[in-house]
């Protein structure tokens, strides 16, 4: 959504100013993107968190399927993302799926009754956060894991790869993570009632 109509009444009533900038959908297949397998585009789950990169060029979203998706801004506007949505206007911006990060594993819970045994998976991504220089992304979720993703060393490579996995970082679902302004420390909060401080090492 555009913020201009929110803060300016004159802009709000103008039909020349787009209010809806873009709709990003998981069920849209992009055959030009070799970094994402086609099966990755079929997920249809609740999105729990969305975070802009500081330079405004990337968007990270975390969903109930345990996947962190990185979206990038393309220079040209796009049509409605689904032909069935004929009432949806052309998008003023185009955000395309760049990469999906899938290392958050399932945390399974087994329930046994007198008649059956069932297993439930819970992999919700609860929070994602970018470092101030946008070279690091941290994700956390219900698997009690914190994963640090780092952009590859080449300055023109925007693909993130896993730098470190903090297994069993808390004794409960991790609800949020935050990085300080000079990337020396990270905070994490959990449903177990604790807040932890983490110190960055030279390797991450």
């Amino acid at each position: 959504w555009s913020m201009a109509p929110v803060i300016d009444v004159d802009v709000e009533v103008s039909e020349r100013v787009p209010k809806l900038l873009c709709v990003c959908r998981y069920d849209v297949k992009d055959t030009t993107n070799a970094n994402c397998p086609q099966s990755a585009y079929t997920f249809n789950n609740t999105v729990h968190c969305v975070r802009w990169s500081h330079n405004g060029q990337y968007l990270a979203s975390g969903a109930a399927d345990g996947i962190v998706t990185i979206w990038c801004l393309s220079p040209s506007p796009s049509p409605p993302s689904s032909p069935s949505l004929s009432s949806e206007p052309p998008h003023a911006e185009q955000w395309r799926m760049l990469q999906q990060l899938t290392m958050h594993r399932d945390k399974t819970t087994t329930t046994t009754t007198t008649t059956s045994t069932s297993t439930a998976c819970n992999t919700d991504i609860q929070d994602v956060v970018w470092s101030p220089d946008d070279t690091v992304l941290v994700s956390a979720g219900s698997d009690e894991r914190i994963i640090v993703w780092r952009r590859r060393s080449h300055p023109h490579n925007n693909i993130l790869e896993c730098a470190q996995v903090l297994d069993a970082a808390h004794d409960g679902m991790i609800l949020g993570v935050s990085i300080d302004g000079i990337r020396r420390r990270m905070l994490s909060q959990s449903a177990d009632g604790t807040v932890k401080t983490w110190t960055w090492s030279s390797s991450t």
Side-chain angles (χ1 to χ4, degrees):
W1 298 96
S2 173
M3 282 299 297
V6 177
I7 61 179
D8 191 323
V9 176
D10 293 333
V11 175
E12 181 185 9
V13 298
S14 174
E15 296 182 356
R16 294 179 298 177
V17 179
K19 299 173 178 61
L20 175 65
L21 296 181
C22 186
V23 177
C24 302
R25 301 184 192 280
Y26 282 97
D27 57 354
V28 177
K29 293 187 178 182
D30 182 359
T31 57
T32 66
N33 189 351
N35 293 311
C36 293
Q38 291 304 297
S39 60
Y41 286 82
T42 61
F43 292 104
N44 184 18
N45 285 273
T46 303
V47 176
H48 290 298
C49 54
V50 178
R51 298 286 183 270
W52 298 100
S53 63
H54 292 81
N55 63 12
Q57 297 299 306
Y58 302 98
L59 198 60
S61 62
D65 54 20
I67 293 176
V68 177
T69 303
I70 308 300
W71 309 83
C72 65
L73 181 62
S74 295
S76 59
S78 64
S81 53
S82 175
S84 62
L85 299 176
S86 57
S87 60
E88 185 178 306
H91 298 162
E93 295 182 354
Q94 180 182 4
W95 289 83
R96 66 179 181 87
M97 189 182 293
L98 176 66
Q99 186 182 10
Q100 288 189 314
L101 310 174
T102 60
M103 282 189 63
H104 281 274
R105 69 173 185 267
D106 288 356
K107 182 181 179 181
T108 58
T109 302
T110 303
T111 303
T112 303
T113 66
T114 56
T115 57
S116 64
T117 300
S118 62
T119 301
C121 296
N122 185 8
T123 61
D124 295 8
I125 302 297
Q126 295 296 321
D127 201 10
V128 291
V129 62
W130 294 92
S131 66
D133 59 1
D134 295 327
T135 61
V136 169
L137 180 76
V138 177
S139 58
S142 57
D143 57 2
E144 301 176 7
R145 267 182 159 190
I146 296 174
I147 300 182
V148 180
W149 310 89
R150 174 183 282 279
R151 187 173 298 166
R152 292 177 183 173
S153 57
H154 193 282
H156 301 294
N157 194 328
N158 298 317
I159 301 301
L160 296 169
E161 59 186 8
C162 179
Q164 187 172 2
V165 178
L166 303 175
D167 273 309
H170 287 269
D171 294 325
M173 178 188 301
I174 300 172
L175 302 176
V177 284
S178 181
I179 301 174
D180 72 0
I182 54 177
R183 216 187 82 185
R184 289 186 178 176
R185 290 179 175 82
M186 178 178 69
L187 294 177
S188 60
Q189 60 172 336
S190 170
D192 63 11
T194 65
V195 174
K196 292 186 178 181
T197 301
W198 307 85
T199 303
W200 292 98
S201 67
S202 58
S203 60
T204 57

